[in-house]
Every structure is written in structure tokens, then in C-alpha cells.
Amino acid sequence: MRRLALNAVALAVLVVTIFPVYWMYLTAFKPTRDIQAATPTFWPSSPTLDHFVTAVNAPGFWTFWRNSLLVTVAAVLLALVVAMAAAFAATRMRWRGRGAFVVMVFAAQMAPWEALLVPVFIIARDTGLLDSLAMLTGVYFMITLPFTIVTLRGFLAAIPPELEEAAQVDGCSRLVAFRRVTFPLLAPGLMATSLFGFITAWNEFAFVNVLIIKDQDKHTLPVWLSSFRDVFGTDWGATMAAAGLFALPVLLLFLFLQRRVGTGMTAGAVKG
């Protein structure tokens, strides 16, 4: 009975969690008459791809898609490189101020990034970096870096340093020992942090809306999603189709990395 109750609770949580995603894709495939009907239906009477065609043919779709992919991948890769060096220094080296550094990283991770909208805007304005994808990449790097450091630090702490020491005894330098011994063992942590960093940067809306003012071609997909609303109302079918296309890369990436994500997040959460 206890197992049955737990399974029932798990099923209820699954339904509550997955229903908004199901409704999004359901609305995307519904014809307009079903979307506007007074009585909701939980299956399209005649599925259609018209809303997806409208979304793909909307102005700027491919440009915004390229911008989102470019700044997100660049920010995540840069954060992984810097965070790996910082995590290595925080777990493998002894230096004055290491504890304070870790505390500051945790504080930065907990801080609401929206509070930095005005300072970041002023910096971008004074340095001439408004309407710049480079500035947007730097901001996304700043947002994802603390989480990446914390997670990689926890995962790196779970790898015995004796493995690197044994490689050094065999003649490897410290860098070569890390690259050949420790780095392959970091794969689950790297995948987990890259996935969640990708989600954070991919979904970010506030900074791109503030930093990209004049050059509309530098916008990303979260801003593009708002283009289906006009003075006559919201085209819900096209909006849901656009949202489904927007969520698809993250969904596919998660399905591809799901076996590694659990291991990486668990290690990063409880070790160190």
C-alpha cells in the first residue's frame, strides 16, 4: 500500500508538471476554431501545421534563432572553461582567501540577476556596447558562471586527488595529469552544468530586452515570442507553435544528456 501511494503521488506530480507542456503543443496543433471554442478540447479534431508555418515564416525567425544559439553556446562554453579553472583552484590548491572566494561565489549564485539590469545597462551604454551580441554573451556568461563553479567544484571534490598524484609520479605534469585523468571523470558534471547553463541563457528575456534597443536584428528568440501579439489580440496558435519550437532544442538536449544529468547534479549538490 505504501508503494502504491508513492506511485500515485509520483503520477499526480507528473501530470501536473507535464500538462502545461502538453497543452502548449496541443494548442499549436489545434485549428483556430478549436482554440477559440467556448468548450476546451483535449485532442485536436483535425490537427494542423498552419500555426508552425506562421511561426517559421514570421519576420526574423532564423535571425533570432541564430542569435540565441550563438550567444548561448558561446556563454556556456566560456563559463565551463573559466569555472573549471576556478573549481580546480578551489578544490586542489591551498591559498589565502579560498574560503571567502567560495562564499562569494555562493552569494553571487543566490543574488537576483534582475537587480543588475540598471548597472549593466549603464556599463553597456558608457562603453558603447549597447545593441551588441558580445555584451549579451558577456552578461549570459556572468549569469551562468557562479552556478557552473559551484557544481563543478562539488563534482571535482568527489574525484580523489590521489589519481592525479599517481599520474604525476608516473611523469605527468600537473596539467597533463588533470587533462588525462581528472577531466574524463568530470564528464557527468560538465554535461549537467552545460545543460542548466544552456537553459538559463536560452530562456533569458530581461537583459536582451534592455541591452538591445535600436538594432532589432540582434534580438533573441524570447523577444521574438512576443511578436505574435498585436492591437487585435494574441494569435495563440502561432504563439504556442513558436513556444514549442523555442523549447525543442532544450528538450532534445535534455533527452540526450538525461543519463548524465542526474549523476552530475547529485555529485555537485552533496560533495565538497
Side-chain angles (χ1 to χ4, degrees), residues 83-94:
M84 194 155 36
F88 183 85
T91 55
R92 293 291 194 263
M93 299 180 180
R94 300 290 182 266

Side-chain angles (χ1 to χ4, degrees), residues 140-158:
Y140 290 172
F141 162 73
M142 174 187 69
I143 292 175
T144 57
L145 183 61
F147 170 81
T148 309
I149 293 176
V150 170
T151 306
L152 287 184
R153 173 182 173 271
F155 198 84
L156 191 59

Side-chain angles (χ1 to χ4, degrees), residues 119-211:
V120 169
F121 172 80
I122 294 174
I123 293 173
R125 183 197 61 190
D126 294 345
T127 56
L129 290 176
L130 285 176
D131 298 306
S132 168
L133 290 181
M135 183 66 187
L136 200 59
T137 301
V139 171
Y140 290 172
F141 162 73
M142 174 187 69
I143 292 175
T144 57
L145 183 61
F147 170 81
T148 309
I149 293 176
V150 170
T151 306
L152 287 184
R153 173 182 173 271
F155 198 84
L156 191 59
I159 300 176
E162 290 78 11
L163 297 176
E164 298 173 29
E165 294 169 0
Q168 289 178 269
V169 170
D170 290 338
C172 293
S173 65
R174 191 164 195 172
L175 180 60
V176 174
F178 176 81
R179 180 170 60 85
R180 294 186 177 181
V181 177
T182 307
F183 183 77
L185 299 177
L186 275 176
L190 291 173
M191 292 181 180
T193 52
S194 62
L195 174 61
F196 284 90
F198 187 92
I199 293 174
T200 300
W202 186 261
N203 292 333
E204 205 286 317
F205 174 81
F207 279 100
V208 65
N209 213 28
V210 169
L211 297 177

Side-chain angles (χ1 to χ4, degrees), residues 85-87 89-90 95-107 149 153:
W95 42 281
R96 182 175 298 179
R98 187 182 67 161
F101 168 77
V102 174
V103 171
M104 286 190 293
V105 170
F106 273 101
I149 293 176
R153 173 182 173 271

Side-chain angles (χ1 to χ4, degrees), residues 7 15-16 20 23 30 40 73 84 88 113-114 129 166 170 189 194 216 218 224 233 257 271:
N7 288 338
V15 171
V16 171
W23 193 259
K30 279 184 178 181
V73 172
M84 194 155 36
F88 183 85
W113 292 110
E114 290 76 10
L129 290 176
D170 290 338
S194 62
Q216 303 298 316
K218 299 292 180 63
W224 169 74
L257 299 178
K271 300 294 184 181

